[in-house]
Amino acid sequence: MNTRGDYAHPEPVAAATVAVVTPPPVVDLPRDSAVSWGAILAGAIAAAALSLILVILGVGLGLSSVSPWSFEGVTAETFGWSSIAWLTFTAIAASGLGGYLAGRLRTKWSNIHGDETYFRDTAHGFVSWAVATLLTAALLTSAIGGILGAGAKVAGATAGAAASTAGGIAAAGAGSAAMGNDQGDVQYWVDSLFRASPTAAQPAPPAGPVDPAAPPAPPANGAVPPPRPMPGADRRPDSREVRTEVNRIIVNSLKSDTMDPADTQYLGQLVAAQTGMSQAEAQARVTDVQTRLRAALDNAKEQAKQAADDARKATAYAALWLFITLLIGAFIASLSATWGGRRRDL
């Protein structure tokens, strides 16, 4: 019996091996910006500059095609359609250039879907068009304001004139009459009242010089002659004072539909005294002048209303066509940007 415990020595056990996996450090790759502002500003500036050049060229061509002389130059309708066509061409050319540069000069995007690239290029073209439109508006503020505001100003002015033509003439005539101005607005009609009638009886000229100190000649039929008037007793009113008064009467009559019968009769007396006409003929002249004056005022009102309506239509058409032209420019800029972006990614 083995008392020392002779047992078989066991095999040595190998040490356990533990594999430690260390993940690599995560490094964030630089992300490309979705908006390339440098490309957008470059396209906008190019579009604004081209728009300015083409507008100036169009103004020169337009002014050279019109003429104030009759039978020379193009008609107003032709000029209007030509202006619309040139503005449309300007919008297409400038927006196309700006959109193409915005798409071609932008940074190259990686690891994005094709639809996202198409959307970003379209947005670049649209933003470039928007910036170019604002720049062009800032450069051409006076020109655009003149085109769009002239019609509205003329329409408002002529409409106001049409509503107060009679009142304005009346006020101007009253002011000129008060200052004794012979060039009043109704002075022509006052002059027409006092025109000498070719049928009026003219006083016979004296046979020779009359001595004021000589006694009056006895009448042929033996009747007692009338007493000689005192010096200054037969002085008639000054012609300028009479015309000023008539001016005021006519101006006041324009505030109503018809002239007061008492004023008509009084004017007839003044006309008869100044022209040698009979009272009936003088009143008939007053009535005729009043009728022609009111007809002239009505004609002026109609012309003012027609001018206001024409200005309103021209302004409306200009605004609508400018709106359509801007929409065309936005579409062309977006489409050109996608084309430029595809060329950039080749």
Side-chain angles (χ1 to χ4, degrees), residues 90-340:
T90 300
I92 293 175
S95 300
L97 175 63
Y100 180 81
L101 291 179
R104 186 66 183 268
L105 298 179
R106 52 109 174 140
T107 59
K108 186 175 182 179
W109 299 305
S110 58
N111 300 326
I112 61 174
H113 196 269
D115 292 340
E116 180 66 19
T117 302
Y118 183 83
F119 173 79
R120 291 184 181 183
D121 287 336
T122 304
H124 274 67
F126 181 81
V127 175
S128 176
W129 165 84
V131 176
T133 302
L134 296 178
L135 291 177
T136 305
L139 293 175
L140 302 177
T141 300
S142 58
I144 296 177
I147 294 174
L148 298 180
K153 292 178 181 178
V154 172
T158 52
S164 60
T165 301
I169 292 179
S176 62
M179 294 184 296
N181 185 7
D182 291 338
Q183 304 296 328
D185 293 290
V186 296
Q187 192 61 37
Y188 166 78
W189 305 99
V190 176
D191 294 338
S192 64
L193 284 175
F194 293 101
R195 290 173 183 170
S197 176
T199 60
Q202 299 294 335
V210 179
D211 187 5
N221 54 4
V224 178
R228 176 174 298 186
M230 297 297 294
D234 61 343
R235 178 180 298 176
R236 296 183 180 181
D238 187 9
S239 176
R240 179 171 298 183
E241 295 178 359
V242 173
R243 290 173 180 267
T244 302
E245 182 182 9
V246 173
N247 197 333
R248 290 196 297 265
I249 293 175
I250 294 178
V251 165
N252 183 71
S253 68
L254 295 178
K255 299 178 182 179
S256 58
D257 294 335
T258 58
M259 181 180 290
D260 187 79
D263 291 338
T264 303
Q265 183 178 4
Y266 178 68
L267 288 182
Q269 294 175 358
L270 293 178
V271 172
Q274 293 289 327
T275 61
M277 302 172 61
S278 64
Q279 180 67 23
E281 292 176 342
Q283 285 195 222
R285 174 178 287 188
V286 171
T287 303
D288 178 68
V289 169
Q290 184 74 6
T291 302
R292 291 189 291 115
L293 172 59
R294 292 185 180 276
L297 290 178
D298 293 338
N299 186 29
K301 290 181 182 179
E302 291 299 326
Q303 291 180 356
K305 291 179 181 179
Q306 184 63 37
D309 188 63
D310 293 341
R312 177 190 61 82
K313 291 180 180 180
T315 304
Y317 291 155
L320 291 177
W321 277 108
L322 184 59
F323 170 74
I324 295 174
T325 302
L326 290 176
L327 287 184
I328 294 175
F331 174 77
I332 295 298
S334 301
L335 184 63
S336 300
T338 59
W339 182 39

Side-chain angles (χ1 to χ4, degrees), residues 64-112:
S64 63
S65 64
V66 297
S67 174
W69 306 107
S70 302
F71 308 106
E72 293 185 10
V74 298
T75 62
E77 184 177 1
T78 303
F79 180 78
W81 286 110
S82 301
S83 300
I84 293 173
W86 185 260
L87 288 177
T88 304
F89 169 75
T90 300
I92 293 175
S95 300
L97 175 63
Y100 180 81
L101 291 179
R104 186 66 183 268
L105 298 179
R106 52 109 174 140
T107 59
K108 186 175 182 179
W109 299 305
S110 58
N111 300 326
I112 61 174

Side-chain angles (χ1 to χ4, degrees), residues 8-23:
H9 188 73
E11 298 259 342
V13 180
T17 302
V18 179
V20 179
V21 179
T22 303

